[in-house]
Amino acid sequence: MATQASAVSAARSKTAPKNGKTNGKTNGKSRDAGRSAGDVKNLALADKGYLRMEWAALSMPVLQQIKARFEKEKPLAGLRLAACLHVTSETGNLALTLKAGGAHVALCASNPLSTQDDVAAALVDAGIPTFAIKGEDQATYYRHIAAILDTEPQMTMDDGADVVGVLHKDRRELLRNIIGGTEETTTGVVRLRAMAKEGVLAYPIVAVNDALTKHLFDNRYGTGQSTIDGMIRATNRLIAGSVFVIAGYGWCGRGLAMRAKGMGADVVVTEIDPLKALEARLDGFRVMPMSEACVIGDFFCTVTGNTEVIREEHFKRMKDGAIVANSGHFNVELDLETLAKIATARRTIRDFVEEFTLKGGRRVVVLAEGRLVNLAAAEGHPSSVMDMSFANQALSAEYMAKNHKKLEKKVYSVPQEIDESIAGLKLASMGVKIDTLTPSQRKYLASWQEGT
Ligand SMILES: NC(=O)c1ccc[n+]([C@@H]2O[C@H](COP(=O)([O-])OP(=O)(O)OC[C@H]3O[C@@H](n4cnc5c(N)ncnc54)[C@H](O)[C@@H]3O)[C@@H](O)[C@H]2O)c1
């Protein structure tokens, strides 16, 4: 434990500005792109950021083992890597791991509201150019993406495919440098598969989300717990006894439903896929269309990866004070533009809680501007689950560095050996042992002759 914590501290830059004084290139003032040290809210927050990263590292034993190996083997030596991820304490540990592997990492936020400003400051201090400020506007968000691209990356690491999008649309001259990339989330993978299908994807990408050690745990247990956490931190409302409507019963929706039920909610699921709807029903939840659920819900949360899932016709029929959030990748799941148009008044009533008053006086309450509520109003997934997601990221980057010449311009799943090795390491770190096949079991499973 102490080793992991001190490993994070060891990242502290020997030349870092002391007492929060900046080097003139940070503290939210730098606008020079390219090789700038970064653009963060306040470098004086670095000490707090280091402590936050140390705390996360204690629950990330798999990533720490990979980091120790990377330090010796340097599988990413000299590689320029542009990462666009939620800038949290777990991402900080991933960035330090990639750096330990020899990569020159530049990092920006994959969502305007998900940055932990203290972590961003610590990363700049640790020598990782970081461009991320919590609450940055849309223009700054895209300027930060441009800044990491100005480092002329050879590899991209995305969460939502925004970097890939900008590269393919606006910065095509940089594509020639790129050997490959990785993608973290469902929505990004959906976009990349669409690009590959149209034949426009310019380089191979590993879909980290496809790994079982990613979506089975991160999307389910991570999003499940942290979404409830974000909704509670924002509102301090009681979940028990409430009607909790969840749109989407995919990996995230299943996790959220499980946790909302555990806290005593009456969970209602909306779906468009008959199989998922059936599964939700047999898991014990009420299933109905949003046109019916909108009338009865106290809490709403979308996790579909789709657009306009809750829209005008639903907002207009909600109960007074209904609380609406999104934990899918983009805030388009809620039609907030129309909500703003039909509202007669709006005010921020507490942090991340905005109340819209509709004609007739009923109020709809939107959390965190409809952005991923778990990252905006809480701290995102617990480190222990990101340990596996980011072990997949680090090992997929290594895989891409080694194998890119053999790969086509397609979306690849994480190789099974990587997935299995991460599961094995995670179990070992938890002190959980499992059985192994006996020779006769192995033979039985490989044969077909034996019957009743
Ligand atoms: N908040 C986070 O930290 C976090 C973590 C992981 C993934 N995500 C994001 O959450 C979203 C969901 O991810 P997932 O892995 O659960 O995806 P998934 O594909 O497993 O599940 C999405 C579900 O939504 C359903 N759906 C689609 N349109 C719908 C609609 N109009 N109404 C109701 N249901 C609808 C689909 O049928 C599917 O079952 C994605 O945008 C993903 O990127 C967020």
Side-chain angles (χ1 to χ4, degrees):
M1 303 265 259
T3 322
Q4 288 161 8
S6 54
V8 173
S9 300
R12 184 177 286 278
S13 150
K14 307 252 178 331
T15 55
K18 296 288 185 294
N19 303 325
K21 289 199 185 101
T22 72
N23 55 10
K25 287 187 182 165
T26 55
N27 206 18
K29 295 192 178 82
S30 164
R31 293 294 177 260
D32 57 334
R35 320 273 164 166
S36 146
D39 187 14
V40 299
K41 185 173 182 193
N42 184 358
L43 260 190
L45 299 173
D47 283 347
K48 204 173 157 208
Y50 277 116
L51 288 174
R52 204 197 265 253
M53 288 199 291
E54 281 190 22
W55 178 249
L58 293 173
S59 299
M60 303 182 85
V62 178
L63 190 66
Q64 296 308 316
Q65 282 184 50
I66 294 169
K67 184 178 174 205
R69 178 171 69 75
F70 274 19
E71 247 148 25
K72 283 193 216 117
E73 297 177 8
K74 303 283 176 209
L76 307 175
L79 187 91
R80 294 187 304 279
L81 193 155
C84 177
L85 302 166
H86 300 295
V87 180
T88 62
S89 53
E90 295 79 21
T91 301
N93 279 291
L94 171 63
L96 295 177
T97 301
L98 299 168
K99 188 173 183 231
H104 302 291
V105 182
L107 176 66
C108 73
S110 59
N111 187 287
L113 264 190
S114 61
T115 298
Q116 293 167 359
D117 289 317
D118 47 9
V119 170
L123 289 174
V124 170
D125 183 89
I128 296 176
T130 300
F131 303 82
I133 299 169
K134 185 164 177 124
E136 62 195 20
D137 59 21
Q138 196 82 347
T140 310
Y141 177 78
Y142 279 101
R143 196 172 58 243
H144 285 165
I145 290 182
I148 63 163
L149 288 177
D150 286 341
T151 64
E152 299 182 10
Q154 294 155 299
M155 194 179 287
T156 59
M157 192 171 272
D158 244 321
D159 185 337
D162 275 346
V163 169
V164 169
V166 171
L167 264 171
H168 284 71
K169 279 187 246 152
D170 308 326
R171 303 291 296 271
R172 295 195 64 83
E173 78 284 2
L174 296 173
L175 286 171
R176 63 175 183 276
N177 299 322
I178 300 199
I179 60 168
T182 64
E183 167 57 51
E184 171 79 4
T185 198
T186 320
T187 284
V189 173
V190 168
R191 286 174 157 196
L192 294 170
R193 292 224 154 92
M195 290 174 80
K197 199 169 164 201
E198 277 183 35
V200 296
L201 187 65
Y203 57 91
I205 300 202
V206 176
V208 166
N209 191 68
D210 281 3
L212 295 176
T213 46
K214 200 281 185 181
H215 67 259
L216 282 185
F217 305 101
D218 171 314
N219 302 30
R220 185 163 41 166
Y221 301 104
T223 310
Q225 175 171 317
S226 61
T227 299
I228 294 275
D229 182 17
M231 293 177 78
I232 292 176
R233 284 200 212 188
T235 63
N236 196 28
R237 287 281 168 83
L238 187 69
I239 305 288
S242 68
V243 176
F244 199 112
V245 179
I246 297 166
Y249 202 67
W251 292 109
C252 296
R254 288 178 180 108
L256 183 52
M258 194 196 308
R259 294 297 169 245
K261 181 183 177 182
M263 295 198 73
D266 169 10
V267 175
V268 171
V269 169
T270 73
E271 253 296 343
I272 45 104
D273 178 336
L275 283 171
K276 302 283 178 55
L278 189 59
E279 186 184 352
R281 187 70 196 108
L282 267 61
D283 283 345
F285 303 116
R286 287 200 275 165
V287 177
M288 62 185 80
M290 187 58 83
S291 57
E292 291 172 27
C294 69
V295 189
I296 58 172
D298 299 300
F299 292 94
F300 293 81
C301 188
T302 48
V303 265
T304 68
N306 206 343
T307 190
E308 294 175 15
V309 177
I310 301 185
R311 47 189 186 268
E312 181 173 359
E313 68 204 70
H314 306 129
F315 288 128
K316 278 184 167 163
R317 299 175 60 220
M318 284 180 182
K319 287 202 262 189
D320 184 29
I323 290 168
V324 183
N326 164 53
S327 208
H329 190 77
F330 289 114
N331 59 351
V332 296
E333 303 213 13
L334 311 175
D335 183 2
L336 296 177
E337 257 176 50
T338 306
L339 179 63
K341 277 191 203 134
I342 61 172
T344 54
R346 61 192 277 187
R347 60 176 178 153
T348 297
I349 198 158
R350 40 191 274 150
D351 287 351
F352 307 115
V353 180
E354 194 173 9
E355 180 193 80
F356 292 79
T357 305
L358 305 185
K359 228 193 266 170
R362 272 181 313 105
R363 292 157 295 184
V364 172
V365 175
V366 176
L367 305 186
E369 301 169 19
R371 301 196 188 276
L372 316 108
V373 68
N374 61 331
L375 281 141
E379 293 172 69
H381 296 169
S383 316
S384 157
V385 87
M386 293 314 292
D387 189 25
M388 289 185 279
S389 306
F390 285 167
N392 273 295
Q393 282 286 9
L395 296 181
S396 296
E398 179 184 34
Y399 173 82
M400 189 56 82
K402 281 191 183 145
N403 295 289
H404 65 96
K405 289 198 178 121
K406 291 187 256 171
L407 303 178
E408 294 169 44
K409 295 168 182 177
K410 290 197 324 205
V411 180
Y412 288 86
S413 291
V414 174
Q416 199 179 339
E417 316 81 80
I418 291 184
D419 215 353
E420 282 172 2
S421 78
I422 291 171
L425 289 172
K426 190 69 179 175
L427 276 177
S429 78
M430 296 165 85
V432 177
K433 295 185 184 128
I434 60 171
D435 285 323
T436 47
L437 289 171
T438 64
S440 81
Q441 285 171 342
R442 198 179 295 281
K443 191 170 158 223
Y444 177 79
L445 291 176
S447 67
W448 56 272
Q449 291 95 337
E450 247 178 272
T452 39

